Amino acid sequence: MNASRPDFATLTNGQAVKRSEIPVLTPEVFGQAILDGVAARQRVSALFGASSPIPGATRIYAVLADDEQNLLSAAATDIAGGEFPSLTPRCPQVHLFEREIAEQFGLRPIGHPWFKPVRYCRSWTGRDAWGRPAGQPILPAVGDFYRVEGEQVHEVAVGPVHAGVIEPGHFRFQCHGEQVFHLEIALGFQHRGVEEELIGGPNARTVHYAETLSGDATVAHATTYSHVIEALAGCQASARAQAVRGIALELERLANHIGDLGALAGDVGYLPTASFCGRIRGDFLNMTALLCGSRFGRGLIRPGGLGFDADADRMAELGRRLDAGEKDATVAIRLLWDTQSVMARFEEVGPLPRKVAAELGIVGPAARASGLERDVRRDQPSGIFCFSHIPLSTCESGDVFARAFVRWLEIQHTIGFIRDQIRSLPSGAPRVPVKALAPDSFAVALNEGWRGEVCHVALTDAQGRFARYKVVDPSFHNWPGLAYALRDQEISDFPICNKSFNLSYCGHDL
Amino acid sequence: MINILLARLQQKHRTMKYPDGAPPPLPDRFRGRPVIDTAQCPEGCRACADACPTGALDPQDPGRIDLGKCLFCTDCAEACPKQAITFSQNYQLAARSRKDLLVARERQAAEVAAAALDAKYRKLFGRSLKLRQVSAGGCNACEADSNVLGTVGWDLSRFGLQFVASPRHADGLLVTGPVSRNMALALKKTYDAVSDPRIVIAVGACAISGGPYIGHAEAGNGAESIVPVDLYIPGCPPNPLTILDGLLRLIGRIEDDINFQLSTRNAQLPSKNP
Ligand code: SF4
Ligand code: SF4
């Protein structure tokens, strides 16, 4: 399929259309179009259920990203009854999406090869895809896990509470001695029911939900949310606001990438970089705090523009801190590449081959480390990234080293980008008024957060309220990549593999 | 090797002097303890309470802010027609009891800093307090800014405070998140695995009250629904300095009163929605 195929409506990033313009296809045509699109190197950015005008039915929407043509496309299908044909056997990247639809709407994906809950919660419709009785409590990570049988095979279970200061999740390893045959990851412990509560918004809480979908990606999610609102309200943030949003997004990337490189160093026992980067990460968080008072960018991004404007003195100070931070980070991170013992631990560990990364629909630095050229800032640009381009950073080997090195390349490019923005900050209102949202509309926005593609899709009702608000955190695409990367690895390499992806639990669990 | 030494020289000694010296500077837009001047409130005005995402301002009696629910988002101040609500630079927000988190005009002078543990606990934990962190349904920012206290800049371990890998090695828990339904059992079990006497510290609006997720069916309204809490550290997330101040008060390393001097320097408010 190419994006102009008539059965999918084409859109650009940050565009709103009437819901009536989203074609409603038969399940067969809908499914085939997704398979054809993915075969033509498109990606599934979102696949989700919503209510349908047909009583008793569920409407499933798909948003595909065509990175080569810089276009998005969307369509829907109505599923009457309690099941739909699973696409997962022919399109692995939809497997978690289908499990999510099953869990939220009680629909069974027929033919799904690994049909388990995603977040261990009740469905929104009262219908249960697994036929669990209503009164029976649903316990997280309780159920069958993939098992390898054999005399010398053993199982290792870790979590939900982990040894470090980190979010909860459950990991099941099938091991033969030290060697991991299979890792299965069960999440949902961070599930706090945000998507369900977003329905009926926007209200006083909505922007705060956007800021806390994944706290370490506050700017990425709040910007994406603002793009959705601005699309639906038919307004645009000023060039100045867009530039500051871009600066904040890139500061978020810097803080996290630098922190990750330090944490990777710590996990292989290389303490100089671990301790330097731990501190330097804080310096970058404090640069975000310089802009808005919060180290995580709370309050900075608001629909219509910015919560806080950036005056000239502040920008000059940011420039000075950026220079100092760059110097410290460069010295600290270069040590990694010059240290044989570190490289020996990074190289050829946790490989994710390019072909597998493509099939699983991996996004962000993890995808680029496996040689996939995908980056929303380049492929589906919005805001400042329409005018100012950041070179794409890729690596080929797909191992821990590649995921670390791609971060280092991105750190360097991103610092240059911020410097350019500071130098040429356009004038303009920090915030423009936001009118009521268009009724019966469909809007989608994407941004390249530091972990990869953040995708939000909103459907409004006749009053301009959210009938559905879908959030896809990059972690939702990438957790299966981590599980795959562990195959045939030593179980003792799990920490560095995990850190090299550094995925969000709360962004996945919502 | 020589590179490591050169790098070490370049990076310098960075551990802060605080609490013996001045605290690290806070950004001018930092939003700390709110100050409410109810004398300015027009009769019957509820603009702030209506704007508040979490119900931190009581709609029956706006003019009181529950710091345990507050996100320090300033939506209330933006909505206020009289600029009666401002946010100060005061970062000393921790409290030992839930009711001490209430900020109201008539209480301002009486706002109490978190008191130290009593003598028995202090003897046990005052010089060595090991904490097991449990993350239970929040957004991960509270974990991140608790964890940062372990970096060289803050160097938490110089106070005998440390995050440990097992509840069996811990003297208490540091809980973040509203306690999602799916984490309730794990939190309880982790608590039970810490031997008595033990303490619990709730960090962030989520862990104190549910925060942005107050009232959700899938999440509890804070750690207190599962375990008793000994120290509350408000914020969304609290600045690391607020967390450190709370921890040091608990072990008796800081005993001075809340610095209301800081409360007079008002943080900048965000640009208004035109
Ligand atoms: S700053 Fe606190 S009291 Fe004011 S609106 Fe935000 S959450 Fe409510
Ligand atoms: S209190 Fe705020 S920052 Fe802390 S976990 Fe909850 S939402 Fe995140």
Side-chain angles (χ1 to χ4, degrees):
Chain A
M1 188 191 88
N2 81 46
S4 58
R5 181 169 158 165
D7 47 24
F8 265 55
T10 55
L11 299 161
T12 54
N13 182 6
Q15 192 190 351
V17 296
K18 282 283 163 209
R19 273 168 82 171
S20 54
E21 289 174 41
I22 304 294
V24 181
L25 312 172
T26 64
E28 293 70 33
V29 174
F30 178 79
Q32 192 57 47
I34 293 173
L35 295 176
D36 292 348
V38 169
R41 291 194 301 282
Q42 297 189 28
R43 296 181 297 108
V44 180
S45 285
L47 180 69
F48 60 96
S51 57
S52 164
I54 301 170
T58 304
R59 185 161 284 185
I60 296 180
Y61 288 85
V63 176
L64 301 182
D66 185 333
D67 295 332
E68 287 160 22
Q69 306 215 27
N70 315 116
L71 279 176
L72 303 172
S73 59
T77 187
D78 281 316
I79 304 295
E83 51 187 56
F84 63 101
S86 169
L87 299 176
T88 299
R90 284 173 294 167
C91 180
Q93 63 181 285
V94 301
H95 96 278
L96 267 179
F97 284 113
E98 290 189 337
R99 282 165 58 176
E100 183 185 50
I101 292 169
E103 189 164 52
Q104 290 178 335
F105 292 88
L107 301 181
R108 284 181 68 84
I110 300 303
H112 194 291
W114 201 238
F115 184 44
K116 291 180 61 169
V118 182
R119 305 185 177 102
Y120 298 86
C121 55
R122 285 259 162 242
S123 90
W124 302 355
T125 58
R127 181 171 51 200
D128 191 276
W130 291 270
R132 297 167 294 192
Q136 177 191 318
I138 296 176
L139 299 173
V142 172
D144 289 338
F145 280 77
Y146 187 85
R147 275 191 87 117
V148 179
E149 300 287 347
E151 229 172 275
Q152 290 168 22
V153 175
H154 65 279
E155 187 178 71
V156 178
V158 182
V161 179
H162 299 274
V165 179
I166 182 176
E167 300 181 75
H170 181 75
F171 301 88
R172 265 310 157 96
F173 299 88
Q174 309 296 318
C175 296
H176 181 246
E178 285 291 295
Q179 189 188 6
V180 177
F181 281 163
H182 185 78
L183 161 62
E184 185 171 349
I185 301 172
L187 301 176
F189 296 92
Q190 296 283 71
H191 178 59
R192 50 218 188 274
V194 179
E195 274 195 351
E196 208 173 352
E197 298 287 340
L198 281 162
I199 293 171
N203 54 37
R205 267 202 215 180
T206 313
V207 74
H208 304 291
Y209 285 141
E211 289 188 326
T212 58
L213 291 165
S214 183
D216 50 19
T218 294
V219 175
H221 277 287
T223 302
T224 309
Y225 168 71
S226 297
H227 285 175
V228 166
I229 295 292
E230 288 154 16
L232 289 167
C235 66
Q236 210 184 6
S238 69
R240 180 185 188 81
Q242 292 184 11
V244 175
R245 285 176 178 178
I247 291 172
L249 184 71
E250 296 307 314
L251 285 175
E252 190 166 86
R253 191 179 322 278
L254 287 171
N256 283 296
H257 279 8
I258 291 168
D260 284 351
L261 290 173
L264 279 167
D267 273 349
V268 299
Y270 187 65
L271 298 185
T273 303
S275 67
F276 300 152
C277 282
R279 178 190 65 75
I280 300 164
R281 169 179 166 275
D283 289 348
F284 281 89
L285 292 174
N286 286 339
M287 291 182 214
T288 300
L290 174 70
L291 297 179
C292 67
S294 156
R295 288 156 53 89
F296 295 86
R298 300 285 159 85
L300 179 59
I301 313 290
R302 285 292 175 267
L306 303 170
F308 293 89
D309 196 9
D311 47 274
D313 287 351
R314 199 173 295 275
M315 282 294 138
E317 170 68 12
L318 178 62
R320 281 190 294 277
R321 292 205 204 171
L322 193 67
D323 291 345
E326 178 184 33
K327 197 160 155 228
D328 285 356
T330 304
V331 170
I333 294 167
R334 283 232 172 101
L335 288 176
L336 290 176
W337 323 130
D338 294 342
T339 305
Q340 286 303 323
S341 60
V342 171
M343 286 301 98
R345 292 287 285 111
F346 282 9
E347 282 170 350
E348 291 171 32
V349 171
L352 183 64
R354 181 194 164 101
K355 183 168 170 292
V356 178
E359 281 183 3
L360 292 176
I362 303 299
V363 295
R368 295 190 282 277
S370 294
L372 292 177
E373 297 200 353
R374 50 178 67 157
D375 185 325
V376 176
R377 293 172 295 176
R378 183 194 70 166
D379 303 328
Q380 314 281 348
S382 63
I384 184 66
F385 300 106
C386 295
F387 310 104
S388 190
H389 304 285
I390 297 186
L392 187 93
S393 308
T394 56
C395 236
E396 289 302 321
S397 51
D399 49 6
V400 168
F401 165 75
R403 287 186 287 275
F405 201 71
V406 161
R407 285 178 167 90
W408 168 232
L409 297 174
E410 294 187 8
I411 288 168
Q412 298 170 73
H413 288 146
T414 277
I415 290 177
F417 167 87
I418 299 178
R419 221 173 251 136
D420 288 348
Q421 297 310 312
I422 294 175
R423 228 178 275 129
S424 57
L425 196 66
S427 56
R431 197 157 159 188
V432 300
V434 178
K435 291 192 281 295
L437 306 190
D440 296 318
S441 296
F442 177 101
V444 47
L446 309 177
N447 271 294
E448 185 75 16
W450 64 273
R451 285 192 182 93
E453 176 177 284
V454 170
C455 172
H456 290 197
V457 188
L459 301 174
T460 56
D461 63 16
Q463 281 74 46
R465 298 257 144 217
F466 294 144
R468 176 78 164 104
Y469 195 96
K470 178 76 202 116
V471 175
V472 189
D473 186 86
S475 306
F476 196 77
H477 297 286
N478 283 6
W479 276 109
L482 169 62
Y484 189 94
L486 248 288
R487 289 208 177 160
D488 283 333
Q489 304 301 296
E490 308 261 306
I491 191 167
S492 52
D493 283 336
F494 177 67
I496 52 168
C497 290
N498 188 25
K499 211 64 69 66
S500 73
F501 282 86
N502 192 8
L503 301 173
S504 171
Y505 300 70
C506 54
H508 172 281
D509 291 347
L510 297 174
Chain B
M1 190 63 202
I2 187 77
N3 284 344
I4 298 178
L5 293 174
L6 289 173
R8 176 66 190 79
L9 279 177
Q10 186 273 334
Q11 304 275 338
K12 303 195 197 73
H13 176 79
R14 304 284 191 137
T15 305
M16 62 184 67
K17 293 269 186 312
Y18 178 83
D20 298 327
L26 288 164
D28 61 337
R29 287 172 170 175
F30 172 76
R31 298 178 290 282
R33 183 179 295 273
V35 181
I36 323 172
D37 182 5
T38 39
Q40 298 204 45
C41 296
E43 191 54 37
C45 178
R46 301 232 184 292
C48 55
D50 290 344
C52 178
T54 60
L57 287 142
D58 183 351
Q60 303 313 316
D61 182 13
R64 302 160 157 265
I65 295 182
D66 178 356
L67 293 186
K69 292 180 177 170
C70 184
L71 311 181
F72 298 81
C73 68
T74 72
D75 288 354
C76 50
E78 264 189 82
C80 175
K82 296 285 185 191
Q83 286 164 348
I85 304 175
T86 49
F87 287 80
S88 73
Q89 289 265 319
N90 178 279
Y91 61 86
Q92 300 152 317
L93 303 172
R96 291 294 307 280
S97 105
R98 188 71 182 77
K99 66 177 188 333
D100 288 341
L101 292 175
L102 195 68
V103 168
R105 186 163 188 260
E106 70 277 8
R107 280 176 42 95
Q108 224 117 46
E111 275 163 29
V112 282
L117 293 164
D118 65 26
K120 178 184 143 216
Y121 275 65
R122 224 166 125 175
K123 190 153 175 285
L124 282 169
F125 300 141
R127 282 146 58 94
S128 167
L129 177 62
K130 309 291 171 195
L131 298 170
R132 168 66 266 198
Q133 204 274 327
V134 180
S135 161
C139 79
N140 79 25
C142 279
E143 290 87 298
D145 262 355
S146 301
N147 205 17
V148 82
L149 294 176
T151 61
V152 291
W154 302 87
D155 194 12
L156 193 63
S157 50
R158 66 198 155 118
F159 308 108
L161 290 162
Q162 216 174 17
F163 294 111
V164 292
S166 164
R168 298 284 190 211
H169 305 156
D171 305 308
L173 303 182
L174 186 148
V175 183
T176 56
V179 189
S180 49
R181 189 178 49 74
N182 284 344
M183 270 306 285
L185 181 62
L187 173 59
K188 181 75 176 61
K189 282 189 173 177
T190 310
Y191 178 76
D192 289 342
V194 179
S195 58
D196 225 6
R198 57 201 155 181
I199 57 166
V200 176
I201 301 166
V203 172
C206 279
I208 301 175
S209 68
Y213 316 115
I214 287 178
H216 281 204
E218 292 290 323
N221 288 335
E224 225 156 22
S225 56
I226 310 287
V227 292
V229 174
D230 300 280
L231 180 71
Y232 304 82
I233 305 182
C236 183
N239 187 280
L241 185 56
T242 301
I243 303 176
L244 184 58
D245 172 76
L247 294 174
L248 294 183
R249 282 175 193 277
L250 188 73
I251 60 170
R253 269 300 298 266
I254 297 182
E255 294 178 311
D256 48 343
D257 290 336
I258 296 175
N259 183 353
F260 282 102
Q261 293 278 293
L262 289 169
S263 294
T264 55
R265 246 176 67 216
N266 291 336
Q268 290 184 13
L269 283 182
S271 43
K272 287 240 175 194
N273 205 353

